[in-house]
Amino acid sequence: MTPHPAATRIDITALSLAYGRAPLFDRLDLSVAPGEVLCLLGPSGAGKSTLLRAMAGLVRPEGGSVVAGGAVALMTQDDALLPWARVVENVVLGARLRGERPDVPRAEALLHAVGVNDLAKRPDALSGGMRKRVALAWLLYEDRPIALLDEPFAALDAITRRSVQALTLQSLIGCTVVLVTHDPFEALAMGTRIVVLAGVPARIALDERLPPAPLGTLRDPADPDLRPAYLRILAALEAP
Amino acid sequence: MRLALSSLAVLAVLIAAWWALAAGLGLPAYILPAPDAVAAAWWERRDFILHNAGVTALEMLLGFCAGAVLGVLCALTMAAAAPARLVLRPVLIASQAIPVFALAPLFVVWMGYGMAPKIAIAAIVIFFPVAAAFADGLRRTPPALAEAARLMAGSGFGARLRTLRFVVLPAALPALGTGLRVGAGVAAIAAVIGEWAGASEGLGYLMLWANARTQIPLMFAALVTLFVLAIAFAALVDFLTRRMTPWISETD
């Protein structure tokens, strides 16, 4: 894929939000720069997914603002593939929903590019790794400058996860990416920046920029140079 | 296939028990005719029985189609527009709350002795499970799909209609299938209720006719025919609705 010309930023200013009656955010500030791959970590319930959904415009802030500069695409752990539609139809769903003419050849090309060759299958007939690849092809077809990923690789085995992670980074070069994950190693491998949310209401316990890796490639999370960052992530995750 | 075999086995056991009961207790034919007497009565009056079975089958089919179409339209209208929900929900509940047994004579008064009141009664009975199940399915789109669709489709009436067409509707098809299967199961009951309220044809009418003449073996023959008809109809609808949702994997 060619780099996205209009990769855009996300600005969260003084965001206040409650989940039911529990305060989740109280005047939280966070900006994501164009082209960043920001990995969002935090203990369960810290509000990672809610923050991501706020960026997508699915959750309305009670105070402050969330401004995404461009259109967003959201990919979640249960990847929202239509179980009744064949793979290609899943990729062009956005076009159908917008009343556009679906570009089937482009969808097929994208599917081949991410390694899906069984275009006539339904999602349930695919392995977890293949489903992710289909979801990725969908993401690329949507061609949004901002990609929000909510633990997309959590259910994959280690080997499949690594290959799908690499493919995702490669495919999303030029996009602004926010990735919610539980896995510090995933963050170290993929991110250009790592943010840890902790506490109630959540504050930013760590905001770490990682040394640059070649564009679109995974880092080796076992690299000794990354160990200090890993320890800081752990410390931030354990912070009260 | 295994289900068909087990059904046949259960049927064989039931017939054997029936036979043993009729023969063993020495019950007279006007209380409990033995299976062979019923079979003989069936064969002797087969044209008469089959003609009436055809009438009942047609009532079931037309009533089912009318009820299913009305149920689908009702559920779709409720899904598309919130104000329609306020109007249609009471209709839905009322259609089930009023006993159809009580309405049947009235329908005969209004529509005569022909097929129309039977179709209307069957339609009312079938309308409820179809509308209720489908409306439920339309309301319960998996949240992940609904949110993804919202982000892709944008806003506006056109976007809502396309979301209904490409996401909400297919997601509700399994629920619609359930409603149709439940409806198919009660189609025979509805047709017979209609015939009992006043008819000159049909298996329900035939049963009353035979009963009044104490031709109990013939009545049983009509009953068995009705049973087979009901099972066949349910099986047909079952087959067709499962074809409608091929992505649903059966765990049976």
Side-chain angles (χ1 to χ4, degrees):
Chain A
M1 294 291 329
T2 52
H4 216 288
T8 46
R9 48 187 300 116
I10 307 169
D11 286 296
I12 297 171
T13 324
L15 172 70
S16 295
L17 222 128
Y19 191 82
R21 303 183 87 179
L24 213 46
F25 304 115
D26 183 23
R27 304 191 62 77
L28 181 87
D29 294 307
L30 179 69
S31 287
V32 190
E36 253 179 351
V37 179
L38 186 146
C39 293
L40 203 53
L41 287 131
S44 296
K48 307 182 292 290
S49 293
T50 309
L51 192 60
L52 205 67
R53 288 156 47 84
M55 292 178 193
L58 291 167
V59 177
R60 194 184 292 273
E62 285 154 21
S65 66
V66 180
V67 178
V72 305
L74 174 67
M75 185 169 140
T76 51
Q77 183 177 353
D78 43 347
D79 39 33
L81 296 178
L82 307 175
W84 56 84
R86 297 183 193 282
V87 164
V88 180
E89 276 303 309
N90 264 294
V91 174
V92 300
L93 175 66
R96 293 224 186 273
L97 289 174
R98 290 184 291 272
E100 297 159 4
R101 194 187 172 77
D103 187 348
V104 173
R106 186 172 154 245
E108 288 175 349
L110 288 173
L111 281 163
H112 286 306
V114 297
V116 181
N117 296 311
D118 253 331
L119 305 188
K121 278 198 173 163
R122 293 199 181 89
D124 289 357
L126 301 174
S127 65
M130 274 297 155
R131 287 179 65 105
K132 290 300 160 197
R133 285 166 194 266
V134 175
L136 202 54
W138 162 80
L139 199 67
L140 296 174
Y141 185 94
E142 286 297 290
D143 198 23
R144 308 262 173 125
I146 299 173
L148 307 174
L149 314 177
D150 193 354
E151 293 191 52
F153 316 120
L156 302 179
D157 66 84
I159 302 298
T160 310
R161 187 184 307 159
R162 186 125 181 110
S163 67
V164 178
Q165 282 169 340
L167 188 61
T168 305
L169 270 193
Q170 218 173 55
S171 311
L172 294 177
I173 289 177
C175 291
T176 302
V177 179
V178 181
L179 171 80
V180 165
T181 177
H182 266 119
D183 178 3
F185 289 121
E186 181 164 87
L188 287 170
M190 294 183 74
T192 60
R193 182 179 168 197
I194 293 177
V195 167
V196 177
L197 289 179
V200 183
R203 61 196 163 71
I204 292 173
L206 179 76
D207 188 348
E208 170 110 19
R209 270 160 229 279
L210 294 175
L215 211 56
T217 56
L218 288 182
R219 280 189 207 84
D220 173 10
D223 184 339
D225 289 348
L226 291 174
R227 184 155 173 83
Y230 173 65
L231 293 174
R232 283 195 290 276
I233 292 172
L234 284 193
L237 283 172
E238 282 167 349
Chain B
M1 198 58 217
R2 274 177 55 197
L3 187 68
L5 283 178
S6 70
S7 305
L8 278 178
V10 170
L11 195 65
V13 170
L14 283 176
I15 290 176
W18 172 10
W19 215 313
L21 203 64
L25 296 177
L27 293 173
Y30 58 84
I31 301 288
L32 184 67
D36 57 330
V38 172
W42 194 95
W43 186 248
E44 192 184 323
R45 311 296 296 269
R46 58 190 179 277
D47 292 340
F48 187 40
I49 291 174
L50 286 178
H51 166 74
N52 284 292
V55 171
T56 302
L58 194 59
E59 288 164 1
M60 284 163 62
L61 184 67
L62 293 178
F64 179 81
C65 290
V69 167
L70 286 176
V72 165
L73 289 178
C74 174
L76 280 177
T77 315
M78 282 166 68
R85 241 165 287 165
L86 292 176
V87 179
L88 287 174
R89 205 178 293 267
V91 173
L92 195 61
I93 293 164
S95 79
Q96 188 67 358
I98 300 172
V100 73
F101 290 91
L103 286 179
L106 201 57
F107 277 51
V108 172
V109 171
W110 289 342
M111 301 181 192
Y113 276 71
M115 217 175 252
K118 287 81 178 173
I119 294 170
I121 288 164
I124 288 179
V125 170
I126 287 151
F127 165 78
F128 179 77
V130 173
F134 193 34
D136 235 33
L138 289 170
R139 271 210 317 271
R140 292 194 190 153
T141 310
L145 294 187
E147 279 188 347
R150 221 168 101 200
L151 281 178
M152 281 186 269
S155 53
F157 187 68
R160 278 190 54 200
L161 272 190
R162 286 189 293 272
T163 304
L164 189 66
R165 152 96 174 74
F166 290 109
V167 178
V168 178
L169 196 76
L173 283 183
L176 174 62
T178 304
L180 290 171
R181 286 192 286 275
V182 173
V186 294
I189 301 176
V192 167
I193 288 172
E195 287 169 4
W196 282 356
S200 52
E201 286 178 305
L203 286 173
Y205 160 79
L206 175 56
M207 285 164 70
L208 290 185
W209 186 91
N211 193 31
R213 285 156 187 75
T214 58
Q215 296 187 14
I216 304 304
L218 179 60
M219 189 186 156
F220 267 78
L223 190 61
V224 169
T225 310
L226 183 67
F227 174 75
V228 171
L229 184 61
I231 300 268
F233 189 68
L236 176 71
V237 171
D238 189 82
F239 173 74
L240 291 177
T241 51
R242 285 183 205 285
R243 288 278 300 261
M244 186 172 79
T245 55
W247 66 93
I248 302 289
S249 48
E250 304 287 331
T251 44
D252 188 282

